[in-house]
Amino acid sequence: MNPKFLFPLILVSTLLVSTSLFSQSRKKKTVNYKENVNAALTTAELALINEVYGSTANDNVLNKPQRLKDIKNILRNRVEIKNIPNRSDQKPCTLLSDVLLMDYYVANLQRDTNFNPQNFNPLKYLFNYNSYGTHMYRVDNTNYFIVIKSQHK
């Protein structure tokens, strides 16, 4: 075979093989929703959405079926609040006070001055909801931790 044509042939073959291997090694992770995301919003959940989205709640969430499903999934399945007593072997994690507020829609949105796990609104904070891993945030000066579970399985 002519060496003039051999180099481009090898180059193209190498690119095709490496592209094929790369695409096979990156499996797409899917979002698995529990059946509970199909149930209607509760009054409490609607209040949480309205607190963060204000007058734009219909346009940005309630009239967008996929967005509403994602938010129901966050509120019902992906946020867990744990009370973990102080231990010396605890790994440091991001403090809630270091997480930015989601104040794009309601300019005067405020952080909670006293943390109450029963009425905590996780939608108020820009947690890393789209990550492939689970993340934990500590509520400042407490033994409470907010666990954000990955949506990908």
Side-chain angles (χ1 to χ4, degrees), residues 71-99:
I71 286 181
K72 286 183 195 176
N73 194 34
I74 288 169
L75 295 174
R76 296 174 183 178
N77 305 312
R78 297 190 48 222
V79 175
E80 185 177 352
I81 299 172
K82 293 183 174 189
N83 189 346
I84 304 172
N86 263 340
R87 295 187 340 217
S88 60
D89 63 342
Q90 246 171 18
K91 292 182 181 177
C93 61
T94 304
L95 293 174
L96 183 59
S97 61
D98 292 334
V99 179

Side-chain angles (χ1 to χ4, degrees), residues 27-47:
K27 293 180 181 177
K28 287 192 175 197
K29 296 192 177 195
T30 59
V31 177
N32 293 323
Y33 296 99
K34 291 185 178 178
E35 201 53 41
N36 66 357
V37 299
N38 296 320
L41 280 172
T42 65
T43 304
E45 290 169 334
L46 183 58

